Amino acid sequence: MPDHPTVPRTATALRPEPGVPVRSPWILGVVLVNVGINVAFFGPLQVLLAQQAAYLEPGQKEAMFALVTGAGAAVSVFSNPLAGALSDRTPGRFGRRRPWVLFGAVGGAVALVALAGAPNVAFMTAMWCLVQAGCNSAYAAITAAVPDKVPVTQRGTVGGLASMGVTAGILLGSVVAAAVAGNFSLGYLVCAAALLLGVIIYLLRADDAPILRSSLAPFSLGKFVSSFWISPRRYPDFAWAWITKLLVNIGNHMILLYLIYFLADRVHLEQTTGIAPATGVLILTGIYAVLVITTSVIGGRISDYMGKRKPLVIISSCIIAAASLILAVVPTWAGALVAASVLGIGFGAYMAVDFALVTQVLPRAEDTGKDLGVINIANSLAQVVAPSIAYPFVAFLGGYVSLYVAAAVIGLLGAVFVTRIRSVA
């Protein structure tokens, strides 16, 4: 038993933990929802929004692109935990999560279609914010569905497959953006179709247990808002899980953030190999993604077989840090290829096993969606914090060597703090 006032989820939940393993059709539905959401996210983020900003404001494309994506990121920070909390309180015969997956996907798809004909940057910004709100609502609900339905002994496997869906969606989004060859309007329509198609199997196969309206406490706006603060003193394991996720994700984003400039300015890729830096990034991303998909599935299964989470989270965090150090010590194209492989191995296993760990430190089963939304703030916040940490290292504190050493140190701190989690092996 832990020697501090950690409150295990099973001790505070009014519903028991699920005990029946989920079957393949339900898992496939969860994976495809993650694929669809990430096509809808990353097709626009990687190419389409930039092309549209250049079309609407060619003289200010960089500023307009930053405005649109920044506004969308701000919406995502709030919409994910908010949708998760509201889904926790959604009664009805369709269950708590399924309505939010449906309406989030439909709302996101409608906004993507509207983006295809945006007449100006203001409309473009508003529609991208709606895409973020819709997709984050669906993502909050599908993430919360896992601890709702999946036994602890199966969560590493399901988490790994869900992570595979995330990475496959990112790859497909990139393929869609490249395939439309500058026709961003068509690209948005394809992304909208992928989002809607991705949710069909889950909606047909989901059997979310409905909750009765009479079982819900009366709604109080003050209590609802205050519920987003989860006391680190009362739930220290949840707090440590949040901190470790933030640190590991900051380290990962610092590795990826300036990759194209690293290849151009430090590796001198085009001069030494004839490969354009943008092509180099695509090659490295492909290697990274394939290995993330592979190790997320394998890592999740190994974790379930061992019945342990922390050792694999620590090991995978150390592997991520090792990838960063390879870039610092061997700033060559060969070194970058090795680093991309190592990073994919580490981050794939980390995504699967850390997700399973997080689901085991949630304070209350009744607040699963909200609590996972709070956890997901660490993912969004890392994208905001990483550039502000990375830039001074590149510009003033030693360049790329110091950047990648700092990224490794930050990631290793995440591995160290995992040891403070006491209620999970």
Side-chain angles (χ1 to χ4, degrees):
M1 293 292 290
D3 57 4
H4 56 60
T6 299
V7 182
R9 184 179 177 218
T10 51
T12 58
L14 298 180
R15 295 183 295 105
E17 288 281 0
V20 179
V22 291
R23 304 186 66 172
S24 297
W26 188 89
I27 298 173
L28 177 62
V30 171
V31 171
L32 291 178
V33 172
N34 278 285
V35 171
I37 290 172
N38 282 279
V39 170
F41 273 144
F42 286 94
L45 276 173
Q46 293 192 346
V47 176
L48 303 178
L49 289 171
Q51 290 177 340
Q52 190 170 24
Y55 172 77
L56 293 173
E57 295 285 349
Q60 296 181 305
K61 59 184 181 182
E62 295 87 355
M64 295 302 102
F65 180 63
L67 171 67
V68 173
T69 55
V75 169
S76 72
V77 169
F78 296 100
S79 60
N80 193 295
L82 179 61
L86 292 173
S87 75
D88 289 335
R89 295 183 55 86
T90 300
R93 63 190 183 92
F94 295 106
R96 296 193 293 174
R97 314 302 179 191
R98 189 159 37 168
W100 288 89
V101 172
L102 172 61
F103 293 117
V106 170
V110 169
L112 283 166
V113 172
L115 258 176
N120 52 54
V121 171
F123 187 84
M124 177 184 170
T125 303
M127 290 304 101
W128 180 242
C129 287
L130 290 178
V131 172
Q132 287 278 4
C135 288
N136 271 284
S137 296
Y139 184 68
I142 200 65
T143 303
V146 175
D148 282 351
K149 291 285 297 179
V150 181
V152 168
T153 54
Q154 199 182 11
R155 280 188 201 160
T157 300
V158 174
L161 292 168
S163 299
M164 178 191 72
V166 169
T167 307
I170 294 171
L171 274 178
L172 286 174
S174 302
V175 170
V176 167
V180 298
N183 187 345
F184 58 81
S185 296
L186 176 60
Y188 286 130
L189 297 177
V190 174
C191 289
L195 177 57
L196 293 175
L197 290 172
V199 304
I200 289 176
I201 290 180
Y202 177 77
L203 295 175
L204 293 176
R205 300 295 305 193
D207 54 349
D208 299 346
I211 57 173
L212 299 175
R213 192 179 301 273
S214 59
S215 68
L216 297 171
F219 181 79
S220 164
L221 181 60
K223 289 182 178 180
F224 181 75
V225 172
S226 64
S227 71
F228 288 93
W229 169 253
I230 300 172
S231 169
R233 174 168 297 201
R234 188 176 181 190
Y235 302 107
D237 283 356
F238 182 89
W240 286 118
W242 192 93
I243 291 170
T244 58
K245 181 176 284 290
L246 175 67
L247 290 171
V248 172
N249 276 282
I250 287 174
N252 188 59
H253 284 298
M254 287 174 67
I255 295 170
L256 300 175
L257 185 63
Y258 290 120
L259 193 55
I260 190 168
Y261 300 142
F262 171 74
L263 294 178
D265 301 335
R266 187 68 179 87
V267 175
H268 305 293
L269 183 63
E270 194 156 13
Q271 295 92 319
T272 57
T273 67
I275 301 172
T279 303
V281 170
L282 182 61
I283 293 170
L284 296 177
T285 302
I287 294 170
Y288 166 82
V290 168
L291 286 165
V292 165
I293 289 172
T294 303
T295 58
S296 62
V297 176
I298 294 173
R301 287 186 178 275
I302 291 173
S303 177
D304 284 344
Y305 177 79
M306 292 173 57
K308 296 180 182 295
R309 311 298 186 197
K310 288 198 299 186
L312 289 175
V313 171
I314 293 168
I315 291 169
S316 59
S317 299
C318 292
I319 293 172
I320 294 170
S324 189
L325 291 175
I326 290 170
L327 291 174
V329 176
V330 191
T332 64
W333 178 233
L337 291 170
V338 173
S341 303
V342 174
L343 184 63
I345 291 169
F347 200 67
Y350 173 83
M351 288 173 67
V353 183
D354 181 70
F355 175 77
L357 182 151
V358 164
T359 65
Q360 292 178 242
V361 298
L362 300 178
R364 287 172 55 87
E366 285 65 37
D367 296 328
T368 295
K370 182 263 294 178
D371 293 341
L372 283 173
V374 172
I375 284 286
N376 283 328
I377 291 174
N379 295 330
S380 301
L381 191 59
Q383 298 177 46
V384 177
V385 172
S388 62
I389 297 176
Y391 176 72
F393 283 102
V394 174
F396 309 115
L397 300 174
Y400 291 105
V401 172
S402 62
L403 169 68
Y404 292 128
V405 170
V409 171
I410 291 171
L412 287 173
L413 281 175
V416 169
F417 290 146
V418 170
T419 62
R420 302 300 300 271
I421 299 172
R422 300 184 182 179
S423 61
V424 180

